Amino acid sequence: MTVLLYQWRLVPGKEDQFVAAWSAITNVLKQQGSMGSALFDGPDGTVFAIARWPDLATRRSSSARLADPDNYALMIEAIAEELQEQILEEKVNFWE
């Protein structure tokens, strides 16, 4: 399994817009092979997402921007700063 870790600072007042758009995009990406994603509030006001994929090739062949351009635009509009994406390869997995 490959996990991608994302971190953003959001535009104040656009948090609900981001969550709604991110949720819709997550559902679209599940149709493209994603194993789902989860969103978390960080202690410093940032927002984190953990997205699970069977492998990096499946992730790279997917596209939220093309599959759901309207929600993708809403999500991008709500992001003030996108911090560096992290790509993590599974070592041990105790998730169910």
Side-chain angles (χ1 to χ4, degrees):
M1 177 186 344
T2 299
V3 172
L4 281 82
L5 177 64
Y6 300 96
Q7 184 181 12
W8 304 278
R9 293 187 201 290
L10 301 181
V11 174
K14 295 200 179 249
E15 296 87 358
D16 291 342
Q17 174 180 318
F18 177 85
V19 171
W22 175 88
S23 298
I25 287 169
T26 294
N27 285 326
V28 168
L29 291 176
K30 286 172 89 174
Q31 298 169 18
Q32 296 182 19
S34 168
M35 298 167 64
S37 186
L39 197 60
F40 303 89
D41 287 326
D44 60 354
T46 59
V47 175
F48 288 84
I50 297 172
R52 300 187 323 164
W53 291 86
D55 51 61
L56 192 54
T58 303
R59 170 60 186 103
R60 288 187 172 152
S61 70
S62 70
S63 175
R65 183 171 30 112
L66 296 176
D68 193 345
D70 293 336
N71 277 307
Y72 184 81
L74 288 170
M75 187 179 80
I76 295 303
E77 178 183 288
I79 297 171
E81 179 183 8
E82 184 170 4
L83 303 169
Q84 186 174 353
E85 168 188 276
Q86 300 292 320
I87 300 172
L88 310 171
E89 293 297 332
E90 179 180 85
K91 184 178 273 308
V92 178
N93 178 352
F94 293 106
W95 284 342
E96 295 184 27

